[in-house]
């Protein structure tokens, strides 16, 4: 009771029609169960106004344009993984990363040719900059600092400025690149300051940052002398920002793999520490994700999870109908107790709650470098405890646990 709130018959009927079914019939009802038969639309349909038939067939998708400059940034063979994976799993990972990068989200519809053209232009700008080993490299302060102004000529600086403008909106930071302060949408330093109080020993450890974004947290981890930090994220925009960082200061033990999170099951017993920050509520199957993470970890290793959720003590999760704080791709927002239940069912243990508070507009906000609708624009203007969609305002839960 009060855990599952089902859709009404009308909402289900609307969902089927929205999905493309032409006729929807109710064929049986029993208590709270309803059975539907839905028929897919035929190849033609009648225009209600003219009475003429029009084709329902979609146009064939356009061919993906070539992206030679993007492709040139991609390391086709991850030699470093030879030290961590057997031949079977290495083959799986190599095929996955080649297929994912080759497609770049085009088949899924998340990437248009216009976006690919823009990203290819950014990649060209990055490669026009010199490959440096900058001595200006600060990872132990709130602001990640890479490069100094004196390292670029006037012509190179103009290319750099154009590049960072094209990379707006900047999500994770704050950053200082070649003397330019970049105030990002997320104050990631606030999250890192909270996490630092509970970090496990990372000296000479193999660490994964699942959902790494542009790599801000990976660079902050370098203060603790890990053997390897591997980031995983299927975000081409973030991958380009990381490549810009590496152009300024190549760090050999920090790797960004442009892959989906489901690859974790093919990295068995690889990691001593896994960070899963801001990922779970973006996956339609958080329990499977956690089980895959569990497979990727060594015995007695440490997982640190940060998940957006809702307040309350019930064992429930919010499943938004369409958007949450104006975001697409948000699935389950758990209470803190539900997040613990997920972790327990995935066979994690020894839970320590590091942080549990309402998400603040000081931490996520619109800036000059991130001119987007941010948290303040996504809350009910008359009741800041609710989102613009009428849902409870987000809380952030950080949990540290052991495999």
């Amino acid at each position: 009771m009060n855990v599952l709130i089902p859709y009404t018959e009308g909402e289900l009927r609307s969902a089927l029609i929205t999905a493309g079914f032409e006729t929807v019939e109710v064929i049986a009802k029993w208590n709270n169960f309803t059975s539907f038969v839905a028929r897919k639309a035929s190849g033609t349909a009648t225009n209600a106004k003219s009475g003429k038939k029009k084709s329902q067939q979609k146009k064939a998708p356009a061919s993906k344009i070539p992206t030679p400059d993007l492709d040139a940034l991609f390391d086709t063979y991850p030699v470093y993984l030879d030290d961590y994976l057997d031949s079977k799993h290495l083959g799986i990972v190599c095929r996955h990363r080649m297929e994912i990068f080759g497609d770049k989200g085009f088949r899924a519809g998340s990437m248009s040719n216009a976006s690919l053209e823009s990203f290819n232009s950014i990649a060209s700008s990055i490669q026009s900059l010199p490959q440096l080993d900058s001595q200006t490299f600060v990872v132990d302060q709130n602001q990640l600092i890479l490069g100094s102004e004196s390292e670029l000529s006037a012509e190179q600086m103009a290319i750099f400025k154009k590049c960072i403008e094209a990379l707006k909106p900047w999500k994770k930071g704050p950053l200082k690149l070649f003397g330019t302060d970049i105030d990002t949408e997320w104050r990631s330093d606030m999250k890192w300051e909270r996490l630092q109080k509970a970090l496990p020993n990372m000296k000479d450890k193999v660490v994964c940052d699942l959902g790494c974004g542009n790599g801000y947290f990976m660079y902050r981890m370098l203060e603790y002398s890990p053997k390897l930090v591997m980031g995983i994220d299927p975000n081409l925009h973030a991958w380009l920002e990381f490549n810009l960082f590496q152009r300024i200061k190549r760090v050999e033990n920090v790797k960004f793999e442009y892959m989906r999170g489901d690859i974790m099951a093919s990295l068995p017993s690889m990691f001593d520490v896994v960070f899963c920050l801001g990922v779970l509520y973006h996956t339609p199957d958080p329990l499977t994700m956690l089980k895959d993470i569990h497979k990727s970890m060594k015995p007695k290793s440490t997982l640190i999870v940060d998940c957006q959720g809702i307040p309350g003590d019930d064992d429930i999760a919010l499943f938004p109908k369409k958007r949450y704080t104006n975001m697409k791709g948000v699935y389950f927002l758990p209470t803190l107790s539900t997040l613990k239940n997920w972790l327990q069912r995935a066979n994690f243990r020894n839970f320590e709650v590091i942080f549990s508070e309402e998400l603040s507009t000081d931490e996520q906000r619109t800036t000059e470098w991130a001119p987007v609708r941010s948290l303040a624009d996504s809350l009910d203007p008359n009741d800041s405890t609710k989102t613009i969609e009428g849902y409870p305002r987000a809380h952030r839960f950080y949990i540290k646990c052991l495999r």
Side-chain angles (χ1 to χ4, degrees):
M1 300 295 281
N2 301 319
V3 175
L4 172 65
I5 302 175
Y7 289 129
T8 65
E9 179 184 320
E11 287 173 325
L12 287 167
R13 184 187 298 275
S14 175
L16 287 162
I17 291 172
T18 300
F21 292 98
E22 189 173 41
T23 59
V24 180
E25 297 177 62
V26 174
I27 60 168
K29 290 186 180 182
W30 179 74
N31 288 346
N32 285 335
F33 292 89
T34 303
S35 296
F36 297 87
V37 167
R39 291 182 175 84
K40 183 179 179 180
S42 60
T44 59
T46 301
N47 185 303
K49 291 184 178 179
S50 66
K52 295 180 180 179
K53 290 185 176 181
K54 59 181 182 179
S55 173
Q56 291 291 307
Q57 295 179 342
K58 294 181 179 179
K59 292 181 180 179
S63 298
K64 180 164 64 69
I65 62 170
T67 52
D69 296 303
L70 269 174
D71 298 346
L73 288 176
F74 183 65
D75 180 11
T76 55
Y77 185 75
V79 176
Y80 74 99
L81 284 177
D82 287 340
D83 296 333
Y84 300 99
L85 300 176
D86 59 30
S87 58
K88 172 188 172 184
H89 290 101
L90 182 60
I92 292 171
V93 170
C94 287
R95 284 193 298 274
H96 178 94
R97 66 196 295 279
M98 289 291 287
E99 288 169 5
I100 294 296
F101 187 81
D103 181 61
K104 302 179 183 67
F106 191 77
R107 282 195 298 267
S110 58
M111 192 70 63
S112 65
N113 273 328
S115 296
L116 285 173
E117 187 174 17
S118 174
F119 286 150
N120 192 65
S121 176
I122 293 169
S124 177
S125 295
I126 291 172
Q127 291 176 97
S128 296
L129 297 173
Q131 176 62 66
L132 300 175
D133 184 20
S134 179
Q135 298 305 302
T136 305
F137 182 57
V138 180
V139 298
D140 60 354
Q141 297 179 15
N142 290 349
Q143 191 178 45
L144 176 61
I145 303 175
L146 295 166
S148 63
E149 291 180 74
S150 61
E151 292 175 288
L152 295 182
S153 67
E155 181 182 356
Q156 291 166 343
M157 182 60 75
I159 294 171
F160 166 71
K161 293 281 189 179
K162 180 181 177 183
C163 181
I164 58 176
E165 282 289 332
L167 279 167
K168 288 181 177 178
W170 288 81
K171 293 287 188 176
K172 290 188 177 183
L175 309 165
K176 188 170 189 173
L177 308 179
F178 288 129
T180 299
D181 293 311
I182 298 178
D183 188 14
T184 52
E185 180 187 7
W186 283 92
R187 284 285 307 275
S188 304
D189 57 309
M190 295 173 69
K191 181 183 292 188
W192 188 247
E193 188 175 350
R194 299 171 197 133
L195 293 174
Q196 279 181 306
K197 302 170 185 175
L199 291 178
N201 175 28
M202 290 197 287
K203 183 175 175 57
D204 297 324
K205 304 296 185 183
V206 181
V207 181
C208 178
D209 184 0
L210 180 59
C212 61
N214 62 14
Y216 173 87
F217 294 117
M218 294 198 288
Y219 284 95
R220 295 299 305 272
M221 292 172 199
L222 293 176
E223 180 184 355
Y224 301 94
S225 304
K227 179 181 180 181
L228 171 70
V229 182
M230 177 179 171
I232 295 174
D233 203 313
N235 185 316
L236 200 57
H237 186 279
W239 181 79
L240 281 167
E241 290 180 8
F242 174 82
N243 273 277
L244 176 60
F245 299 164
Q246 288 285 78
R247 201 75 179 177
I248 302 170
K249 173 72 174 183
R250 182 172 293 283
V251 184
E252 294 298 337
N253 65 333
V254 177
K255 306 291 184 181
F256 186 128
E257 291 294 349
Y258 180 81
M259 298 189 294
R260 296 189 305 265
D262 55 5
I263 198 62
M264 296 296 279
S266 299
L267 303 169
S269 303
M270 179 170 171
F271 301 113
D272 300 291
V273 183
V274 174
F275 291 85
C276 179
L277 308 178
V279 172
L280 287 180
Y281 60 95
H282 286 303
T283 176
D285 190 352
L287 186 56
T288 295
M289 173 67 75
L290 287 170
K291 289 180 177 179
D292 288 346
I293 291 171
H294 190 274
K295 292 174 185 175
S296 76
M297 298 172 66
K298 298 176 184 176
K300 299 182 180 180
S301 54
T302 302
L303 170 66
I304 295 180
V305 170
D306 151 41
C307 187
Q308 204 166 120
I310 57 172
D313 299 320
D314 295 330
D315 295 329
I316 61 173
L318 169 67
F319 186 81
K321 189 174 182 180
K322 290 185 179 179
R323 293 177 180 240
Y324 181 80
T325 57
N326 205 42
M327 286 190 296
K328 294 180 180 179
V330 176
Y331 296 95
F332 294 96
L333 294 132
T335 60
L336 180 58
S337 62
T338 297
L339 179 56
K340 290 179 182 178
N341 292 344
W342 289 350
L343 289 162
Q344 189 171 25
R345 287 199 177 200
N347 294 318
F348 290 97
R349 57 190 174 86
N350 291 26
F351 306 121
E352 176 189 343
V353 178
I354 303 169
F355 182 78
S356 174
E357 285 187 20
E358 185 177 80
L359 179 58
S360 165
T361 52
D362 291 331
E363 187 171 354
Q364 184 192 14
R365 69 272 192 275
T366 302
T367 72
E368 175 193 354
W369 289 94
V372 295
R373 288 186 66 182
S374 196
L375 180 59
D377 305 303
S378 303
L379 299 175
D380 185 331
N382 300 313
D383 183 357
S384 63
T385 66
K386 294 185 180 299
T387 71
I388 199 168
E389 300 88 1
Y391 297 121
R393 180 173 176 167
H395 279 53
R396 300 297 296 210
F397 307 128
Y398 304 177
I399 295 180
K400 176 182 175 182
C401 55
L402 297 180
R403 184 192 189 278

